[in-house]
Amino acid sequence: MELPEQPSQVHLTARNLRGIAHPLRVRILTVLRTEGPATATMLGRRLDKNTGATSYHLRQLAEYGFVTEAPSRGGRRERWWQASHANTVVPDDEVLGESGGLGVAYLQALGRVWSDALTAAIEATPSLTPEWRDAQDFGDYALTLTPADAKELTAEIHALLRRRTAAGARAAPDTAHVSFQFQLFPTSEDRHDTQPTDTE
């Protein structure tokens, strides 16, 4: 499927976070980006939600510039929607530093969506072909890093994935869309205030 041309990125700010910090909006935007334009009814079926809910959240996404109306298909009067950007850049440090703010709410929405996707993948494992069961991977690594080390590692992973994305899909019968998730964060025992303390 050929998707419409999109500006590559949208940067999240304190203002437009209001339009995306919700799990269903994250899921709607993901579907529009990966599967192409759709109507509220189609999205409702795809996400197992009623059309009223998808219509409301589409309007909110549109108000903040995350989706736009797409040309109608086949003379139908239903409104078609498409993603305005190919991907999202996470909020900057100032926005994320607001405890309980919209930056955290957005990351919580992402966490729920990614967790649901992982659970669905695990449940679907028995239905996979042996080749895909062997290719599928779940794992984690415990590392000891400085913040600079962590940023460098993350940049390397992003660069590798961008190269894979740029290479495009291979024309092979066993090709499938895959989701690559990774998270990097301090573990519980190291979530502490690292600011230097004053000494007498």
Side-chain angles (χ1 to χ4, degrees):
M1 179 192 313
E2 185 175 349
L3 300 182
E5 289 294 324
Q6 304 160 318
S8 60
Q9 294 181 331
V10 55
H11 291 260
L12 296 181
T13 65
R15 180 190 178 280
N16 65 12
L17 271 168
R18 298 179 183 277
I20 193 62
H22 187 286
L24 183 53
R25 294 178 199 171
V26 171
R27 293 178 68 196
I28 288 172
L29 190 55
T30 299
V31 170
L32 292 177
R33 285 175 174 173
T34 58
E35 300 179 16
T39 66
T41 300
M42 294 166 63
L43 288 165
R45 287 196 299 265
R46 173 70 173 76
L47 300 173
D48 195 25
K49 300 292 181 182
N50 65 64
T51 303
T54 53
S55 292
Y56 170 76
H57 289 294
L58 279 165
R59 290 194 300 272
Q60 293 299 304
L61 286 165
E63 181 178 343
Y64 289 92
F66 293 100
V67 303
T68 57
E69 283 198 59
S72 61
R73 307 295 175 92
R76 299 176 183 174
R77 293 187 177 181
E78 280 189 297
R79 298 173 78 180
W80 286 71
W81 299 92
Q82 63 189 19
S84 301
H85 311 88
N87 57 61
T88 304
V89 179
V90 298
D92 62 24
D93 181 66
E94 182 179 350
V95 175
L96 290 177
E98 298 172 2
S99 178
L102 286 171
V104 171
Y106 170 68
L107 294 183
Q108 289 172 333
L110 285 182
R112 286 183 57 184
V113 171
W114 291 341
S115 176
D116 289 346
L118 178 59
T119 299
I122 291 169
E123 292 172 349
T125 295
S127 67
L128 296 176
T129 64
E131 293 81 7
W132 272 112
R133 278 198 298 272
D134 184 55
Q136 183 172 262
D137 187 29
F138 305 106
D140 67 340
Y141 291 80
L143 306 173
T144 302
L145 304 172
T146 65
D149 292 335
K151 288 185 69 174
E152 181 181 5
L153 176 59
T154 298
E156 290 173 357
I157 294 171
H158 280 294
L160 173 61
L161 294 174
R162 282 195 295 269
R163 288 198 297 272
R164 284 283 183 174
T165 302
R170 297 177 180 174
D174 59 347
T175 297
H177 293 293
V178 302
S179 175
F180 187 101
Q181 294 187 12
F182 80 93
Q183 296 85 35
L184 188 153
F185 49 83
T187 52
S188 57
E189 64 270 21
D190 286 322
R191 293 186 193 120
H192 53 72
D193 186 356
T194 58
Q195 296 299 316
T197 55
D198 293 332
T199 57
E200 296 295 335

